[in-house]
């Protein structure tokens, strides 16, 4: 599983097995973990709009060489509380270095946009990671780390459990940092005709250190606010220009598509595209390596697309830092950064489990462009394969490489291993970060007869699906525009032994069901076996796409006690309908729960229920919000928010 449902397992994961998702060849002595916040209960302060949580961490000394620092952020529901509701802008900062009497600092090293957590179960949790090696000069000795949680929602019964873990890999740095300075770090009003944002985003000059080879500009930018009529800055697509020494380096749209968010579904408008962020998103910075001339003065300038609003409430939240580095220590030096598939990491859950074409991330941390490398890869316990990559990977650049072939596995958990070597045919200068091991779960194995069950919604022109085999050959397809509304399609397939991929697409990015799209209605997709038993149920509120990888062969995976839930509509003036389907009968309890308060407004008991459709009339209740909760055998299996008369 990618989202672990056992809270005790999650605690064990945090405490003892940070390296379970991706491990390297570095020995335990070369890697250490600094936890500044451990399951810290984080709530808002509605009187201020923010609340800070500070904690100290003991980092390596200044004399200790650091190769890499990864910040991992774990979110869960706090003990005795439910997960919080809103997509707030949280900042992780270095506040002080050198101990209590040390130097005051104010560096945002990461930014978290919290998810809509109102419908998460109490066992829910998720984690993200970001490379913060650029702050290695400051993450030394005693450091005070601040988690700043913004927002105004009630704080008595909801919040987050936050853990911050810094994974520090010791070793020769790829580049030796010289200095770090702020370029921009503020909330900038955008669209005010009387106060142009460019007055604040002025060009910033810096002098190159005599030892500097390049300066790295690290930028995190998100848009917020909701002016009329454009919806800026959260819901308007504007561009940003980056100028260096009077020359335009890049024009970039400050915009992010959210329909493929790995954290889904969420309670709110999680599928809506936004200004460079999505709910449930630890921001990854934009990185620019700028060539400098030692002793010369250079200028960095960020400009926003010209924009004026008659009702300006838009803000661009920008932190930009400039880190000067010495020349890369090695000429030929590559590092394997990550495994996208196969993987257990939550951020890659839409692509996994996977059975074909492994995908890795490689970075060039040497002085010269890399034109070729050797990659050896495969599942431990099986024969390894070799792939010779050719292309152009610039110095400081990162690339994703798709490797040919199948991903072999045995039942249960497996370990995929990849080793990179011979950059430009030369010996790699630092082989310790050339090997990676990624634990992964094997794909489910099905019988040869498979039924694709698809019930369309009111907007079938937005839906399509395709099934391909391991060679990419199309086995069955329902193209966009070929489906009718509110129609059930059952396609029976007889498949030979192979690996397959089922992809369900929605061109509007709002799945087969989305509470804020009542005109779309509700649809359903699942895979059945020849007996009509459910072998895979798909969440209807999936955003842009669903990808399911499976194998046909023997022995087939036994039929599990799966259940399927669908509640629609979740914004209503009177009635809502629950569709329930299970492979095996069980005792089911359905509860309507007030929010806030948690009072049970009504409760329904169904003995040995296997399948049914139930309509509940809520018109007698006053305007407000509720949860519909389904318990099976006394355990909550489904929970969804209902907006009544809103």
């Amino acid at each position: 599983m990618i989202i672990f449902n056992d809270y005790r397992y999650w605690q064990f994961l945090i405490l003892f097995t940070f390296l379970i998702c991706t491990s390297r060849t570095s020995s335990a002595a070369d890697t250490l973990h600094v936890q500044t916040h451990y399951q810290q209960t984080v709530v808002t302060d509605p009187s201020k709009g923010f609340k800070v949580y500070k904690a100290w961490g003991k980092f390596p000394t200044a004399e200790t060489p650091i190769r890499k620092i990864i910040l991992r952020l774990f979110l869960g529901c706090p003990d005795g509380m439910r997960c919080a509701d809103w997509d707030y802008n949280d900042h992780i900062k270095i506040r002080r270095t050198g101990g209590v009497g040390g130097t005051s600092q104010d560096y945002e090293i990461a930014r978290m946009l919290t998810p809509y957590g109102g419908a998460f179960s109490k066992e829910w949790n998720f984690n993200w990671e970001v490379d913060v090696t650029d702050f290695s000069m400051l993450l030394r000795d005693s450091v005070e780390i601040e988690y700043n949680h913004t927002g105004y929602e009630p704080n008595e019964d909801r919040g987050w459990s936050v853990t911050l873990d810094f994974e520090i890999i010791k070793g020769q740095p790829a580049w030796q940092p010289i200095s770090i300075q702020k370029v921009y770090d503020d909330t900038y009003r955008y669209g005010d005709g009387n106060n142009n944002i460019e007055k604040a985003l002025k060009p910033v000059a810096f002098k190159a250190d005599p030892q500097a080879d390049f300066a790295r500009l690290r930028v995190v930018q998100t848009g917020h606010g909701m002016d009329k009529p454009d919806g800026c800055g959260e819901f308007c697509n504007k561009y940003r220009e980056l100028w260096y020494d009077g020359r335009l380096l890049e024009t970039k749209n400050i915009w992010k598509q959210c329909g493929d968010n790995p954290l889904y579904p969420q309670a709110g408008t999680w599928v809506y595209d936004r200004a460079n962020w999505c709910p449930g998103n630890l921001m990854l910075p934009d990185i620019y390596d700028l060539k400098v001339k030692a002793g010369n003065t250079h200028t960095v300038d960020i400009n926003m697309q010209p924009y004026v609003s008659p009702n300006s409430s838009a803000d661009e939240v920008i932190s930009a830092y400039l880190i000067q580095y010495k020349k890369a220590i090695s000429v030929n030096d590559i590092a394997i950064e990550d495994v996208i598939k196969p993987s257990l990491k939550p951020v890659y859950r839409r692509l996994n489990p996977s059975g074909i074409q492994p995908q890795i991330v490689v970075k060039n941390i040497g002085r010269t462009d890399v034109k070729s490398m050797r990659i050896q890869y495969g599942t431990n316990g099986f024969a390894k394969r070799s792939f010779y990559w050719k292309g152009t990977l610039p110095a400081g650049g990162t690339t994703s490489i798709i490797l040919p072939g199948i991903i072999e596995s045995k039942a249960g958990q497996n370990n995929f291993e990849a080793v990179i070597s011979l950059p430009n045919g030369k010996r790699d200068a630092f082989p310790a970060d050339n090997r990676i091991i990624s634990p992964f779960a094997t794909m489910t194995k099905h019988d040869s007869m498979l039924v694709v069950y698809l019930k369309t919604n009111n907007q079938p022109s937005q839906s399509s699906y395709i099934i391909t085999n391991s060679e990419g050959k199309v086995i069955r397809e329902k193209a966009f525009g070929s489906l009718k509304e509110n129609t059930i399609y059952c396609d029976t397939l007889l498949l030979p032994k192979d690996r397959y991929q089922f992809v369900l697409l929605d061109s509007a990015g709002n799945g087969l069901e989305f509470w804020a799209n009542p005109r779309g209605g509700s649809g359903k997709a699942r895979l059945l076996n020849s007996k009509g038993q459910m072998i895979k149920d798909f969440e209807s509120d999936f955003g842009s796409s669903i990808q399911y990888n499976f194998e046909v062969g023997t022995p087939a995976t036994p039929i599990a006690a799966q259940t399927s839930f669908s509640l629609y509509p979740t914004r209503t003036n009177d009635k809502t309908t629950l569709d329930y389907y299970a492979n095996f009968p069980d005792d089911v309890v359905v509860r309507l729960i007030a929010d806030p308060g948690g009072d049970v407004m009504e409760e329904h008991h169904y003995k040995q229920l296997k399948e049914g459709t139930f309509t509940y009339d809520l018109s007698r209740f006053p305007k407000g919000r509720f949860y519909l909760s389904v318990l099976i055998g006394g355990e909550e299996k489904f929970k969804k928010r209902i907006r009544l008369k809103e």
Side-chain angles (χ1 to χ4, degrees):
M1 291 289 291
I2 293 173
I3 300 180
F4 300 104
N5 291 319
D6 189 328
Y7 186 65
R8 291 171 298 178
Y9 180 77
W10 185 53
Q11 289 179 306
F12 178 82
L13 175 72
I14 294 174
L15 278 170
F16 302 109
T17 59
F18 282 102
L19 301 182
I20 191 171
C21 285
T22 306
S23 62
R24 302 176 187 274
T25 56
S26 301
S27 66
D30 295 327
T31 302
L32 63 92
H33 290 269
V34 177
Q35 274 187 22
T36 56
H37 299 67
Y38 174 68
Q39 293 186 10
Q40 171 70 59
T41 296
V42 170
V43 299
T44 66
D45 182 347
S47 67
K48 296 179 180 178
F50 69 93
K51 189 171 184 178
V52 299
Y53 297 84
K54 299 179 181 180
W56 288 89
K58 182 65 175 177
F59 290 82
T61 64
E63 294 75 27
T64 304
I66 291 179
R67 183 73 172 179
K68 190 173 186 179
I69 306 176
I70 298 293
L71 170 61
R72 291 192 172 92
L73 186 151
F74 295 78
L75 279 189
C77 300
D79 287 341
M81 304 174 76
R82 65 176 177 84
C83 278
D85 287 323
W86 287 97
D87 52 334
Y88 288 133
N89 195 358
D90 290 1
H91 307 273
I92 302 166
K93 295 190 173 187
I94 296 173
R95 273 301 179 194
R96 284 185 285 178
T97 55
V100 176
T103 305
S104 294
Q105 308 283 3
D106 183 18
Y107 287 88
E108 183 187 45
I109 59 174
R111 186 180 305 172
M112 178 70 203
L113 285 306
T114 58
Y116 293 104
F120 294 156
S121 67
K122 63 181 180 180
E123 295 86 8
W124 173 88
N125 54 82
F126 208 86
N127 65 82
W128 302 260
E129 62 183 52
V130 62
D131 189 323
V132 294
T133 312
D134 289 326
F135 299 98
S136 64
M137 293 184 67
L138 300 175
L139 294 172
R140 300 287 184 164
D141 300 311
S142 294
V143 181
E144 185 181 45
I145 302 295
E146 173 186 284
Y147 189 92
N148 183 345
H149 181 49
T150 69
Y152 296 90
E153 68 181 331
N155 58 13
E156 298 86 3
D157 63 343
R158 69 202 70 182
W160 300 107
S161 172
V162 174
T163 294
L164 299 181
D165 175 77
F166 294 84
E167 179 187 272
I168 303 170
I169 300 173
K170 300 178 184 178
Q172 174 182 280
W175 309 279
Q176 186 67 45
I178 300 170
S179 64
I180 182 170
Q181 72 179 82
K182 291 183 183 181
V183 178
Y184 305 106
D185 188 7
D186 209 340
T187 297
Y188 303 92
R189 181 52 50 98
Y190 183 41
D192 185 347
N194 297 317
N195 186 23
N196 192 302
I197 192 172
E198 300 309 325
K199 294 180 180 179
L201 295 177
K202 296 179 180 178
V204 175
F206 70 96
K207 187 174 182 179
D209 188 274
Q211 300 184 73
D213 179 64
F214 69 96
R216 174 166 295 164
L217 181 65
R218 181 186 178 99
V219 183
V220 172
Q221 178 175 355
T222 53
H224 304 272
M226 189 65 178
D227 64 19
K228 297 179 180 179
D230 298 294
C232 284
E234 183 171 347
F235 295 110
C236 67
N237 187 350
K238 303 296 183 183
Y239 65 78
R240 175 189 77 200
E241 294 179 342
L242 173 62
W243 293 76
Y244 181 57
D245 288 346
R247 182 169 60 92
L248 179 63
L249 284 189
E250 181 193 61
T251 299
K252 173 185 172 70
N253 283 3
I254 304 303
W255 195 243
K256 187 176 179 66
Q257 294 182 331
C258 295
D260 280 330
N261 192 330
L263 176 49
Y264 78 98
Q266 299 180 33
T269 56
W270 68 273
V271 303
Y272 289 177
D273 301 339
R274 285 172 165 84
N276 214 36
W277 62 276
C278 298
N281 184 194
L282 182 65
M283 295 296 298
L284 300 180
D286 296 321
I287 300 292
Y288 307 92
D289 287 348
L290 310 172
K291 293 300 294 183
V292 299
K293 292 184 178 180
N296 283 17
T297 297
H298 299 275
T299 303
V300 173
D301 187 17
I302 285 179
N303 295 329
M304 286 299 299
Q305 178 179 339
Y307 169 71
V308 176
S309 170
N311 303 286
S312 176
S313 68
D315 290 320
E316 296 296 322
V317 183
I318 304 173
S319 65
Y321 303 107
L322 200 69
I323 304 96
Q324 295 194 47
Y325 284 100
K326 296 179 182 179
K327 183 181 294 187
I329 291 175
S330 305
V331 176
N332 294 289
D333 192 357
I334 51 177
I336 186 163
E337 296 281 284
D338 208 353
V339 176
I340 295 175
K341 61 177 187 177
S343 175
L344 290 176
K345 287 188 176 182
V347 293
Y348 302 136
R349 61 182 295 228
R350 285 186 181 265
L351 303 176
N352 288 284
S354 181
I356 61 173
Q357 295 184 318
Q359 187 173 357
I360 64 174
V361 179
V362 176
K363 187 171 185 176
N364 179 5
I365 48 183
R367 289 203 296 266
T368 186
D369 293 354
V370 171
K371 303 288 187 178
S372 64
M373 72 182 80
R374 182 177 69 181
I375 305 171
Q376 296 170 294
Y377 61 98
T379 303
N380 288 347
F382 297 86
K384 298 296 193 294
R385 295 187 291 276
S386 292
F387 176 74
Y388 289 87
W389 177 89
K390 292 184 178 181
T392 300
L393 181 54
T398 301
T399 189
S400 174
I401 300 175
I402 296 176
L403 303 170
I406 65 173
I407 300 169
E408 296 174 298
S409 63
K410 61 183 185 299
Q413 183 169 300
N414 297 264
N415 289 316
F416 174 84
E417 182 176 358
V419 180
I420 58 177
S421 61
L422 300 177
N424 295 322
K426 308 294 184 180
R427 179 182 178 275
D428 189 275
F430 193 82
D433 51 15
N434 287 15
R435 175 176 175 265
I436 195 168
I437 295 176
S438 175
F440 70 96
T442 188
M443 295 185 302
T444 304
K445 188 178 290 185
H446 300 310
D447 288 325
S448 59
M449 184 170 287
L450 187 72
V451 178
V452 180
Y453 172 97
L454 175 63
K455 176 185 175 294
T456 60
N457 61 13
N458 296 337
Q459 298 170 328
S461 64
Q462 299 174 1
S463 301
S464 75
Y465 82 76
I466 186 171
I467 296 178
T468 54
N469 65 10
S470 61
E471 297 178 349
K473 180 182 177 182
V474 176
I475 304 300
R476 185 64 58 90
E477 181 178 13
K478 295 289 188 185
F480 286 115
S482 67
L483 302 171
K484 298 179 180 179
E485 66 180 48
N486 294 312
T487 301
I488 294 176
Y489 295 86
C490 288
D491 290 345
T492 301
L493 307 175
L494 189 61
L495 302 172
K497 289 184 178 181
D498 200 354
R499 284 122 190 275
Y500 297 89
Q501 184 177 90
F502 170 81
V503 178
L504 177 63
L505 298 171
D506 185 86
S507 60
N510 54 17
L512 291 173
E513 172 189 320
F514 185 55
W515 67 270
N517 180 34
R519 289 182 299 175
S522 178
K524 191 64 190 174
R526 59 175 68 109
L527 300 181
L528 310 173
N529 66 7
S530 58
K531 299 178 182 179
Q533 294 173 308
M534 182 168 53
I535 57 178
K536 181 63 180 179
D537 180 60
F538 299 107
E539 169 63 53
S540 295
D541 184 9
F542 62 78
S544 296
S545 66
I546 282 174
Q547 178 177 307
Y548 177 63
N549 305 296
F550 63 95
E551 184 176 359
V552 168
T554 54
T557 304
I559 298 299
Q562 291 195 64
T563 50
S564 173
F565 309 92
S566 177
L567 182 69
Y568 191 83
T570 54
R571 175 181 279 184
T572 180
N573 289 321
D574 43 41
K575 298 177 182 179
T576 188
T577 297
L578 173 70
D579 285 320
Y580 178 91
Y581 181 88
N583 281 342
F584 305 105
D586 211 329
D587 293 342
V588 176
V589 176
V590 177
R591 290 174 178 167
L592 184 70
I593 302 171
D595 176 39
D599 296 331
V600 177
M601 309 304 292
E602 60 180 55
E603 185 172 282
H604 305 270
H605 293 257
Y606 305 99
K607 293 292 185 180
Q608 293 300 291
L609 179 66
K610 187 177 185 298
E611 183 177 2
T613 301
F614 309 95
T615 298
Y616 306 105
D617 189 348
L618 313 181
S619 59
R620 68 184 183 278
F621 296 115
K623 172 183 176 181
R625 298 188 178 190
F626 303 84
Y627 288 103
L628 189 126
S629 173
V630 180
L631 293 86
I632 302 175
E635 183 179 352
E636 185 178 70
K637 296 292 186 179
F638 176 80
K639 181 181 181 183
K640 207 159 194 178
R641 173 179 283 167
I642 301 171
R643 294 165 170 84
L644 178 64
K645 302 173 185 176
E646 288 191 343

